Amino acid sequence: SNYATIFTLTGVKEFAGDIPKEFTLYQNYPNPFNPSTMIRFALPKDSHVELELYSIHGELINKLVSEDKQAGYYEVNLEIPFHASGIYFYRIVASPGDKSEPFVQTRKFILMK
């Protein structure tokens, strides 16, 4: 059967201010959520950022961000109104431009309808 998966990435917002001291992937808010949530992350160095959404089975559902970002704080507003209730994961891979070790972290969130 054919079906369409609809995601609405309502924006990636950068916050002015201090440069973070370490890479961080924050827990989404709210969690559990229905149908929208906010994912925040911090970059102490300019980096290429991949932010991905996975199913409980480890299948890649969607690539939310795939671009170079300057050091700073960011938030991603995500809406997934047509997915089933359940546990999902989001993962960041931030590869600094200075070729140092990439930052990789995965967090779990719950969609409740």
Side-chain angles (χ1 to χ4, degrees):
S1 71
N2 293 333
Y3 64 92
T5 303
I6 298 177
F7 295 91
T8 305
L9 183 62
T10 58
V12 178
K13 188 184 303 182
E14 179 179 3
F15 293 91
D18 296 336
I19 300 296
K21 295 188 182 343
E22 62 186 13
F23 287 99
T24 308
L25 178 62
Y26 298 98
Q27 185 63 51
N28 67 300
Y29 180 82
N31 188 30
F33 70 98
N34 176 23
S36 64
T37 190
M38 180 183 359
I39 299 170
R40 300 181 79 188
F41 59 92
L43 306 172
K45 303 176 182 179
D46 294 356
S47 303
H48 181 78
V49 175
E50 302 279 338
L51 184 63
E52 300 167 329
L53 180 63
Y54 289 88
S55 73
I56 188 75
H57 304 292
E59 299 164 336
L60 177 63
I61 295 173
N62 196 9
K63 194 169 280 202
L64 305 174
V65 175
S66 179
E67 57 190 46
D68 293 334
K69 297 283 187 193
Q70 294 182 343
Y73 293 93
Y74 295 87
E75 72 178 31
V76 175
N77 293 308
L78 174 66
E79 294 181 9
I80 52 174
F82 301 109
H83 269 55
S85 295
I87 297 172
Y88 294 86
F89 297 94
Y90 57 101
R91 177 178 181 239
I92 191 169
V93 177
S95 303
D98 64 5
K99 305 296 182 199
S100 58
E101 189 73 23
F103 170 74
V104 180
Q105 187 170 15
T106 303
R107 291 198 177 264
K108 171 177 73 169
F109 64 86
I110 300 170
L111 173 61
M112 290 184 73
K113 293 191 173 191

